[in-house]
Amino acid sequence: MALARFFSLLSVITLSLFLFASNASSRSLSTPKTTVLNVASSLQQTQHILSIDPTRSSLTTTTSSSPLTLQLHSRDTLLAPHHKDYKSLVLSRLERDSSRVAGIAAKVRFSVEGVDRSDLKPVYNDETMYNPEELTTPVVSGASQGSGEYFSRIGVGTPAKEMYMVLDTGSDVNWLQCKPCSDCYEQSDPVFDPAESSTYKPLTCAGPQCASLEVSTCRSNKCLYQVSYGDGSFTVGEYATDTVTFGDSGKVNDVALGCGHDNEGLFMGAAGLLGLGGGALSMTNQINATSFSYCLVDRDSGNSSSLDFNSVKIGEGDATAPLLRNKKIDTFYYVGLSGFSVGGEKVEIPSSVFEVDAAGAGGVILDCGTAVTRLQTEAYNALRDAFVKLAKNFKNATSSISLFDTCYDFSSMSSVNVPAVAFHFTGGKSIDLPAKNYLIPIDDAGTFCFAFAPTSSELSIIGNVQQQGTRITYDLENNLIGLSANKC
């Protein structure tokens, strides 16, 4: 009997040790200490992106059986290369990025402070159709959203005219350049002529869509709109409806969009902008989308992916996070972020740093048009210091570069083990970032920088560098964000 009890007790101990080892292994796999950065591959892409031919045949509309699907391209695969080297390309990206972030912060600040939309009017006079010199007033340019970095090809009008449009989760108003042009920038497709579309209909000033615009006015009972961006870009024109075609996957009638006759700024190549924000005038709301998803490929790869509406569901194995709303502003998609881990260890950051306060300030948004993730200074310093502590054996670059204060010289390496970085979301789920999503090349000589930046704003932004290679699903019905690694 005693022997039997001994073996029974031994079995319990063995089983307990096995379960403990299994759980320890699971915890270790979920929060790895290091991951591999492929330096050689990243540097090879720095050369590739400068030699891409934007007219190549792969930039076509996708054919899909899903409800509504568009092919998605990065900005630099659409525009002909005009930078002397990779570093100048990166610096131009970062300059646009800083302007966009300033615009988003200002838009949120204006909403929190309750700026009256009636104070914002498109500026024009009787001698010219529009007066662009007046459009950079502090109020107008401060209430900006930004210009975006990824493109999709859609059809507008009947018969449909296909053109590239900027994809922007930080904007609501859809618009495109239209004839006749008072002032239009260069785009890769012919400028849209509303006279050639049998389904084009100008909106009257009494229409609900006109009333929903942040900046609008009337002329001859036609609704005029204006949208300004933080980098100085703007579009002004007639607000109308027309049919929008999503490749071979379907079309939607009577979509409200701006027909811009005066457009200036950094939209070079694209015909206009596809607003995917949470506001009433966004494409997602106008087509009554219950969900949408995208996967942002590496901007230096030259590859493409897809933007899907009402098709991709969040999988059981995907990381999830609450999709939160800010009662002060409906454009942006807020996400429940609880913190980070570096090298498998949680970074000590107060949870209040990532929360929206009672006034509507603060919080964390997901944005496909912002490149580099911005964090409140307290959170950024904690994350950077945790990384630097574990990266002390790396050779430091000589100085900070643009937004980045933590850079390394990997010129003598083909690959390197680096401290792992993970995002942790409220609800307990997390996602491990690939090394190339937080250590990015700044030049073609082997300088890599830690791709996060501090912000003096209370708002934090998860940018597209950290989203690359992950399918992001916005479940609008269930207020949930899904993150699926390697599903481009």
Side-chain angles (χ1 to χ4, degrees):
M1 182 70 69
L3 187 62
R5 284 199 299 271
F6 171 77
F7 280 111
S8 176
L9 180 60
L10 182 62
S11 298
V12 171
I13 294 172
T14 302
L15 178 60
S16 298
L17 289 173
F18 172 78
L19 291 174
F20 176 81
S22 298
N23 289 336
S25 175
S26 175
R27 286 195 298 270
S28 176
L29 288 174
S30 63
T31 54
K33 291 187 176 183
T34 64
T35 188
V36 177
L37 174 67
N38 190 330
V39 175
S41 175
S42 294
L43 293 181
Q44 186 177 17
Q45 288 186 356
T46 66
Q47 297 294 329
H48 174 67
I49 192 65
L50 294 176
S51 61
I52 283 179
D53 179 3
T55 63
R56 72 191 193 285
S57 59
S58 64
L59 291 183
T60 57
T61 306
T62 189
T63 300
S64 174
S65 58
S66 64
L68 291 174
T69 297
L70 294 170
Q71 199 167 18
L72 195 58
H73 310 276
S74 72
R75 173 191 181 104
D76 297 308
T77 61
L78 178 59
L79 299 173
H82 61 279
H83 297 280
K84 63 178 182 179
D85 54 32
Y86 185 75
K87 186 172 183 178
S88 66
L89 169 62
V90 170
L91 292 177
S92 71
R93 288 174 176 172
L94 295 177
E95 184 178 0
R96 290 196 307 270
D97 202 46
S98 294
S99 296
R100 178 181 178 86
V101 169
I104 289 175
K107 183 177 176 67
V108 173
R109 186 178 70 251
F110 281 16
S111 297
V112 169
E113 294 174 356
V115 172
D116 192 341
R117 289 188 310 176
S118 64
D119 294 336
L120 310 176
K121 296 292 183 184
V123 181
Y124 63 93
N125 57 37
D126 294 331
E127 296 179 0
T128 60
M129 187 172 184
Y130 304 101
N131 186 359
E133 289 78 10
E134 298 288 333
L135 298 179
T136 55
T137 59
V139 171
V140 175
S141 63
S144 56
Q145 295 104 338
S147 56
E149 290 295 317
Y150 285 85
F151 296 75
S152 285
R153 191 161 180 79
I154 67 170
V156 178
T158 305
K161 303 293 185 183
E162 289 194 342
M163 57 200 74
Y164 286 106
M165 304 277 278
V166 171
L167 165 71
D168 194 356
T169 54
S171 297
D172 294 323
V173 177
N174 311 292
W175 62 268
L176 72 163
Q177 296 196 117
C178 286
K179 292 182 178 179
C181 280
S182 169
D183 193 351
C184 289
Y185 58 81
E186 181 182 356
Q187 65 179 58
S188 59
D189 298 295
V191 174
F192 181 72
D193 187 348
E196 296 180 358
S197 173
S198 63
T199 48
Y200 179 89
K201 292 175 286 188
L203 284 165
T204 65
C205 304
Q209 298 100 324
C210 191
S212 295
L213 288 164
E214 286 191 350
V215 187
S216 66
T217 195
C218 267
R219 178 182 284 180
S220 303
N221 199 33
K222 290 183 179 180
C223 179
L224 302 182
Y225 79 98
Q226 173 181 301
V227 181
S228 302
Y229 299 88
D231 56 18
S233 305
F234 63 82
T235 174
V236 186
E238 182 178 78
Y239 209 48
T241 63
D242 210 335
T243 298
V244 174
T245 303
F246 295 77
D248 295 329
S249 62
K251 65 180 181 180
V252 180
N253 297 324
D254 300 320
V255 174
L257 44 79
C259 195
H261 299 289
D262 194 343
N263 320 279
E264 294 184 18
L266 299 177
F267 299 103
M268 305 301 281
L273 184 142
L274 196 64
L276 299 179
L281 298 176
S282 71
M283 184 63 71
T284 48
N285 273 308
Q286 290 197 59
I287 66 175
N288 296 315
T290 58
S291 69
F292 70 96
S293 76
Y294 57 73
C295 192
L296 306 180
V297 295
D298 189 322
R299 289 192 299 180
D300 293 337
S301 70
N303 297 329
S304 63
S305 182
S306 66
L307 164 66
D308 304 308
F309 296 93
N310 299 329
S311 60
V312 178
K313 302 299 182 184
I314 297 174
E316 290 184 5
D318 295 343
T320 56
L323 172 56
L324 308 174
R325 303 292 185 178
N326 187 336
K327 62 183 179 181
K328 292 287 188 176
I329 184 168
D330 54 14
T331 298
F332 301 115
Y333 297 104
Y334 287 75
V335 62
L337 181 71
S338 62
F340 309 94
S341 61
V342 176
E345 298 294 331
K346 195 76 180 288
V347 179
E348 293 297 326
I349 303 173
S351 60
S352 59
V353 170
F354 304 115
E355 295 173 355
V356 179
D357 65 23
V364 183
I365 66 169
L366 271 173
D367 183 44
C368 69
T370 298
V372 176
T373 290
R374 301 306 205 281
L375 301 172
Q376 282 194 39
T377 302
E378 179 183 4
Y380 171 75
N381 288 344
L383 176 64
R384 178 204 57 201
D385 292 349
F387 186 86
V388 169
K389 181 179 178 181
L390 296 178
K392 58 186 176 183
N393 293 327
F394 297 158
K395 182 180 179 182
N396 291 322
T398 54
S399 62
S400 60
I401 299 172
S402 186
L403 305 175
F404 305 129
D405 60 14
T406 302
C407 300
Y408 300 98
D409 180 358
F410 294 147
S411 59
S412 62
M413 303 176 179
S414 59
S415 66
V416 57
N417 283 318
V418 298
V421 175
F423 283 168
H424 297 269
F425 303 103
T426 54
K429 297 294 182 71
S430 64
I431 187 167
D432 302 320
L433 296 181
K436 66 179 182 178
N437 284 27
Y438 56 90
L439 285 168
I440 63 171
I442 301 301
D443 54 33
D444 56 11
T447 304
F448 284 70
C449 291
F450 189 58
F452 294 85
T455 175
S456 58
S457 167
E458 295 176 89
L459 180 72
S460 295
I461 305 172
I462 298 177
N464 60 47
V465 170
Q466 280 68 40
Q467 295 179 50
Q468 285 175 174
T470 299
R471 180 159 289 277
I472 311 290
T473 300
Y474 297 74
D475 185 340
L476 305 177
E477 273 191 323
N478 299 304
N479 290 322
L480 200 63
I481 296 288
L483 303 101
S484 311
N486 302 315
K487 289 191 178 179
C488 282

